[in-house]
Amino acid sequence: MTMTQTMTQWDAESLTRRFDEVRAHTETLAAPLSPEDQTVQSMPDVSPTKWHRAHVTWFFETFVLADNEPAFAPFQDKYWFLFNSYYEAVGPRFSRADRGVITRPGAHDVGVYRGNVDDRMRDLMSSLDGGTVEKLTPTIELGFHHEQQHQELLLMDIKHVLSMNPMRPTYAGSPSEVCEPDALGWVDVAGGLVEIGHAGPGFSFDNELPRHQTWLNPYRLADRLVTNAEWLEFMTDGGYARPELWLSDGWARVKAEGWEAPFYWEQVEGVWFGHTLNGTWPVNPGLPASHVSHYEADAYATWAGKRLPTEAEWEHAVVADGQAVDGNLADARTFHPQAAPEATGKLRQVYGDCWEWTSSAYLAYPGFHPAEGAIGEYNGKFMSSQMVLRGGCALTPPGHARATYRNFFPSGSRWALSGVRLADGGVPTTTAGAA
Ligand SMILES: [Fe+2]
C-alpha cells in the first residue's frame, strides 16, 4: 500500500491501544459541547461537531471494516451517504454545505454509532494474525491521523459556531496576560542543494512523499510570527485600503467582503476585539496575528518589504535549526496562539500557535503517486488552487505535527488558525554579465 509510509512497528495490542486513545480524545474534545452546539453549521466550510464525530467513524467502517469484517453490514445504510465527505469512489454523498440541517442522528445517536464501530474495530484487531495486522496497519494508522485532523477541525469549526452567538460563549482555556511583542530577529540559512519530504521513521501522509532534492539560495526567516501589534501598524498604514499591496484576487475579496482586519476582529467604540475559544477580548498586542488568509499574509509581507517563505525554505530551516516538535499545540490547552518565548537566536513558534502560510502552491512532489482506489482521494485530488501551510497550531493534537507536514487551504480561507512568518533573501546570484 502506498498511501502512507510507516515504519512504526504495530502489533494488535498496540494498535488497539492507540485506537482507543485517539477515539477517546475526540470525545473529550466534544464533551463540553451540548447536542445543540454540536448540530450547528455556521458557514459552508464549518462542519457540525457531531458530523466530525460520525465522519471519522465512517472512515474506519468504510476503509477497514467493510473489506475485513466477516459478514460486514453497515451500522446504518443512510450513514454511508450522510457521513461520506468527498470520496467519489465510495458513492454519492450528502451536500457539504447542508450538514447543519441534519438533526437526526443527534449527538447521542452519533455516540451510539461510535461505540458500535469501536467495538467492531476492537473485535477485528484482536482477531488478526500478524500478517493481516501488517496488511491493515497503513489504513488503520491513516484512520488515526485522519481523526486527529478532524480533532483540529472540530475546534476551528466550533470557534466559528460560538462566534456567531451574541452571548459569545466560551469553549475552554483562559485569556493570556496583555503583553507587547519583543524585537523581531532573523535566522540566516545557507541553503544550497537540500532534501525535503518525509524520510521516516514514522507516519506521513502520501503528499509528503517522495523525499527529493531542491535548490535554495541563501535566505533568512523571521525568528517569530507577525504579532497583533505589527498587524495593527499595517492596518493603520492603510493596509486594507491600498490595492498596490494586494494580489488581484485578494484585492477583489477585500472589496467584495469588506475586509478591514483579521477574520475574528471587530471594533467596538474604537477598540479592536478578537474572538477566541476563551471568549471575546481586546486584541492582545504581543500575541501572533491569526485568522488571516493567504491574501492578507501576502499583502502584509509586501507592505513589510519582505515575502512569505516557500515551503521548502520553511522545512529546511526548521530541520537545520534542530527544532524539537514541541510548542503551543492542543495539549497545552491554551486553544489560542501565545506570545513568543524569549529569543535564543533560533526560530521560535515553529510548532503550534499558528499554521504558517507559505508562498508555495499545493502541488505534487516530483514522482508523487496517490494510492489505488478510493483512499487515493485522500490528498492528491486537492492539488489545485490551494496554498501550503506549515507547522501546526494551538488546536493541533500532539503527535500530529512534523517538519514535513503539508497543510493546505484556498488562498481566501480565514477560519483556519493561520498566521504569518516573514522571509527575506533567497535571491539568485549569477556571475553572468558581471562587470
Ligand atoms: Fe475526513
Side-chain angles (χ1 to χ4, degrees), residues 51 55-56 59 85-87 146 149-150 378:
W51 185 90
H55 162 69
V56 291
F59 189 95
S85 52
Y86 53 66
Y87 295 89
H146 172 252
Q149 284 185 314
H150 280 274
Y378 197 106

Side-chain angles (χ1 to χ4, degrees), residues 17-32 49 53 56 114 118 144 147-152 154-155 171 329-333 335 394-400:
R17 195 180 319 120
R18 184 62 182 150
F19 177 83
D20 286 343
E21 285 170 1
V22 171
R23 299 286 287 166
H25 189 60
T26 303
E27 295 301 277
T28 299
L29 293 176
T49 302
R53 293 172 58 217
V56 291
R114 287 181 64 89
D118 286 351
F144 299 162
E147 185 143 350
Q148 288 186 307
Q149 284 185 314
H150 280 274
Q151 289 166 359
E152 180 180 275
L154 182 159
L155 293 171
Y171 171 78
L329 295 158
D331 56 334
R333 294 191 61 80
F335 300 114
L395 309 180
T396 306
H400 197 66

Side-chain angles (χ1 to χ4, degrees), residues 98-166:
D98 295 321
R99 289 172 185 163
V101 306
I102 302 300
T103 57
R104 301 177 193 183
H108 171 78
D109 291 333
V110 166
V112 173
Y113 176 42
R114 287 181 64 89
N116 174 275
V117 168
D118 286 351
D119 289 344
R120 290 156 60 199
M121 281 291 296
R122 285 190 206 106
D123 286 348
L124 178 73
M125 288 186 286
S126 66
S127 68
L128 298 176
D129 59 49
T132 317
V133 168
E134 200 172 321
K135 181 172 84 82
L136 291 185
T137 288
T139 311
I140 295 174
E141 198 176 17
L142 180 64
F144 299 162
H145 290 265
H146 172 252
E147 185 143 350
Q148 288 186 307
Q149 284 185 314
H150 280 274
Q151 289 166 359
E152 180 180 275
L153 289 169
L154 182 159
L155 293 171
M156 288 185 191
D157 290 358
I158 200 64
K159 181 174 184 175
H160 189 257
V161 168
L162 298 178
S163 78
M164 302 297 283
N165 184 336

